[in-house]
Amino acid sequence: MRWELLLLLVSSSFAWFYGRDEPDRWSVGGVWPLPHKIVYGKKNRTLSFDKIGVDLAEKKDCDVLLAMAENYMNKWLFPFPVIDKYESEDFIITVVVKRDCPTGPPDQESSEEYLLRVSMNDAIINAETVWGALRAMETFSQLIFYDERLKKYQVRTAEIYDKPRFPVRGVMVDSSRHFLSVAVLKRQLDIMAMNKLNVMHWHLVDSEAFPYTSLKFPELHGVGAYSPKHVYSRKDLAEVINHARLRGIRVIPEFDLPGHTSSWRGRKGFLTECYDDNGKPTYPNLIDPINQKNFDFLAEFLEEVTETFPDKYLHLGGDEVADFLLECWVRNKKIQKFMQDKGFGYTKIIDELRSKRKPIFWQEVFDNNIPHPEATIHVWKGNTHEEILDQVRNVTKKNYPVIVSACWYLNYIKYGADWRDEIAGTVPSNSRYYYCDPANFTGTPEQKALVLGGIVALWGEFVDNTNIEARLWPRASAVAERLWSPAEKTVRAEDAWPRLHEFRCRLVARGYRIQPTNNPDFCPFEFEEVPV
């Protein structure tokens, strides 16, 4: 009796080992991120990879839809390494898109709304734009699962209406601190599309390196790149932009100014002299505002940038200028005299930066200035969700649109399920990525409408080709659901976990290095390196 009582006490104290989630607690045909509305049917339909097709209706010449069909039919629709042959009737996915096929990438106002109906006979996608069709095809692919008992592929019947909550849902990659190859960038774009993310914020240059290839000013990458091999040619840039476009992803480049500019040293006279407290020269990292030629150069350089990147927005940085003011401007006698003579404030240089694109600035430009009226403010400060949302409220009070990254600095190494749990001892302590809602602050409806969404930040000091994929995913997937799905339907990470587990295993089966994100578990088909 005593042993029975002890067994009862032990068994009731945890669901599995140490109270962890069951290692096979995944959904079956669950969709990530959670759709706006989904109603599953009562039956599943057997599918065979040799009996399924895509009908593009009146858009058979659209390159975006053709690339979509190619990717899903040949790579992603049946990712599991199972090729059992069995009887199955033909199944056609019909794609109906109202608007013409675009020649350029999506923009911030592009619709991604779609209707998807999967019956026992066929599947029909209805969307206003090709971008909505892309999102619908990914959803359809996630309804497919392999039934181990039947030894067959099945698709869940369902009716789905879906649209994103926020227009900006992105990932920032940093190719200055460590160079990221085009092949690796394209893999991340693939995974972004699978998560229904739509913006790659490309932090192209920083103090350390200048890998962007300029036709007009080759001295920039000639001196500033780590080596001649560590550059993005014009062909590379176009390839990344087009790869993103075919997946419904915008590429917004960042050229951080006026600080973080040491790698611009190939441009003679661009950087000011900097000094330590003993008057000894230090490494320059700030623009010289005395040299008027610098402003003429920037105007011409940014003109080239806007010809290279088609997006309507351009990120111009503006962060951490205060870190360099003392060394580069305060201790520089020429700068001090110039500012006294001209009445030139420390922040005027930001106001001198203009381009044909709408500017995005890190939040210091808002904190220390009156930004350009068309500017979007990118919030990166705050150690807790509450502090971060205070920043968002302050910016929207002044009627500026906001993008939030402060909740989602995934370059921080944390132990544990940081996507859902508070991780003690971390700086900043803003884990629980799934729970940071960028519009969850006290403010007017007009203020909340100014919240454009968010961008995961993956700074590159300790990230390169070898680890970017596992560092990003599926932690960034938690952010993808927060930015896509209705807030009222995604309240508990515990409810989301089975779908995230299945989604992670699906991406692993597709050949991507998606790290475990919760506790000890397993996938039906584990990752294996493909032999070269």
Side-chain angles (χ1 to χ4, degrees), residues 59-334:
K59 299 294 190 298
K60 289 181 172 61
D61 296 327
C62 178
D63 62 344
V64 176
L65 297 179
L66 287 169
M68 176 191 77
E70 169 74 16
N71 286 328
Y72 282 93
M73 293 299 294
N74 294 330
K75 293 190 292 185
W76 299 332
L77 212 54
F78 298 95
F80 308 115
V82 178
I83 55 173
D84 296 338
K85 291 187 177 180
Y86 46 82
E87 289 297 322
S88 174
E89 304 214 354
D90 290 346
F91 189 92
I92 302 298
I93 309 162
T94 302
V95 181
V96 179
V97 175
K98 291 182 180 179
R99 295 189 189 177
D100 292 339
C101 185
T103 57
D107 57 39
Q108 197 159 282
E109 292 73 38
S110 293
S111 170
E112 296 172 275
E113 186 176 12
Y114 67 88
L115 288 166
L116 169 63
R117 182 184 60 81
V118 183
S119 71
M120 296 295 288
N121 300 316
D122 58 15
I124 300 176
I125 291 170
N126 281 282
E128 186 75 18
T129 69
V130 296
W131 319 121
L134 288 177
R135 307 306 176 223
M137 182 61 83
E138 175 59 33
T139 294
F140 174 80
S141 76
Q142 294 182 28
L143 295 172
I144 297 174
F145 64 96
Y146 183 73
D147 191 314
E148 288 280 7
R149 181 179 59 85
L150 298 175
K151 302 300 181 184
K152 295 179 179 180
Y153 281 105
Q154 301 270 286
V155 62
R156 296 192 68 172
T157 57
E159 291 191 4
I160 298 171
Y161 167 69
D162 207 2
K163 63 179 180 178
R165 183 181 174 203
F166 294 103
V168 174
R169 311 177 309 281
V171 171
M172 188 216 77
V173 294
D174 175 4
S175 59
S176 172
R177 277 53 181 262
H178 282 97
F179 185 80
L180 300 171
S181 71
V182 169
V184 166
L185 288 173
K186 289 163 74 172
R187 283 176 65 90
Q188 307 324 301
L189 287 165
D190 288 347
I191 305 170
M192 285 176 63
M194 295 168 191
N195 282 269
K196 298 184 175 71
L197 295 167
N198 66 349
V199 173
M200 186 178 91
H201 169 187
W202 196 354
H203 190 84
L204 262 167
V205 305
D206 209 293
S207 303
E208 291 79 6
F210 199 105
Y212 170 81
T213 297
S214 171
L215 293 177
K216 293 183 178 179
F217 305 100
E219 66 274 15
L220 291 171
H221 63 271
V223 174
Y226 281 137
S227 82
K229 293 181 179 179
H230 293 86
V231 297
Y232 298 106
S233 68
R234 307 304 292 182
K235 180 182 177 183
D236 292 336
L237 296 168
E239 190 174 336
V240 171
I241 293 167
N242 190 57
H243 193 87
R245 170 183 169 268
L246 293 176
R247 285 147 185 79
I249 297 172
R250 304 158 53 201
V251 178
I252 300 178
E254 179 185 353
F255 292 87
D256 201 356
L257 298 162
H260 290 275
T261 48
S262 286
S263 65
W264 300 59
R265 59 189 178 276
R267 180 70 183 176
K268 187 176 181 180
F270 187 66
L271 301 176
T272 185
E273 297 89 352
C274 305
Y275 304 92
D276 64 17
D277 54 2
N278 294 317
K280 183 179 179 180
T282 60
Y283 213 58
N285 210 22
L286 203 58
I287 293 175
D288 185 350
I290 296 177
N291 188 350
Q292 182 57 42
K293 291 182 180 179
N294 285 337
F295 298 104
D296 299 333
F297 152 70
L298 281 175
E300 193 173 352
F301 174 77
L302 293 176
E303 177 77 20
E304 180 188 74
V305 168
T306 59
E307 293 170 356
T308 304
F309 293 91
D311 200 80
K312 295 178 182 178
Y313 287 78
L314 175 61
H315 206 304
L316 291 171
D319 63 314
E320 298 180 326
V321 175
D323 293 356
F324 317 115
L325 286 179
L326 180 61
E327 289 185 53
C328 301
W329 285 358
V330 173
R331 292 174 181 157
N332 188 315
K333 295 180 180 178
K334 291 188 296 182

Side-chain angles (χ1 to χ4, degrees), residues 448-513:
K448 297 194 176 190
L450 289 169
V451 180
L452 301 179
I455 294 177
V456 167
L458 192 71
W459 296 102
E461 286 86 351
F462 299 96
V463 176
D464 69 359
N465 286 343
T466 66
N467 65 345
I468 182 173
E469 204 157 283
R471 185 72 62 86
L472 259 179
W473 312 104
R475 297 157 82 216
S477 299
V479 185
E481 178 149 294
R482 176 55 52 228
L483 297 175
W484 177 279
S485 306
E488 67 276 9
K489 295 184 179 181
T490 50
V491 176
R492 284 169 31 96
E494 286 299 313
D495 297 334
W497 161 241
R499 284 184 300 106
L500 184 58
H501 190 171
E502 183 189 9
F503 182 57
R504 183 239 165 190
C505 290
R506 186 180 300 277
L507 298 191
V508 165
R510 287 177 178 178
Y512 297 98
R513 295 174 177 84

Side-chain angles (χ1 to χ4, degrees), residues 201 252-258 302 313-319 321 347 349-355 357-367 369-380 395 400-404:
H201 169 187
I252 300 178
E254 179 185 353
F255 292 87
D256 201 356
L257 298 162
L302 293 176
Y313 287 78
L314 175 61
H315 206 304
L316 291 171
D319 63 314
V321 175
T347 58
I349 194 166
I350 286 291
D351 294 329
E352 293 291 328
L353 300 176
R354 293 291 182 267
S355 73
R357 299 291 187 255
K358 293 182 179 180
I360 303 173
F361 294 115
W362 294 110
Q363 71 182 83
E364 284 94 330
V365 177
F366 171 83
D367 294 340
N369 302 271
I370 300 176
H372 187 278
E374 293 187 348
T376 295
I377 306 303
H378 197 163
V379 170
W380 71 275
V395 174
Y400 284 100
V402 171
I403 296 170
V404 177

Side-chain angles (χ1 to χ4, degrees), residues 403-443:
I403 296 170
V404 177
S405 282
C407 297
W408 305 303
Y409 266 45
L410 302 195
N411 51 287
Y412 289 120
I413 298 174
K414 301 174 181 180
Y415 189 84
D418 54 5
W419 74 279
R420 69 177 198 177
D421 298 334
E422 186 69 44
I423 306 302
T426 60
V427 181
S429 61
N430 58 346
S431 48
R432 292 169 59 86
Y433 305 135
Y434 191 78
Y435 289 107
C436 184
D437 184 336
N440 187 24
F441 59 91
T442 303

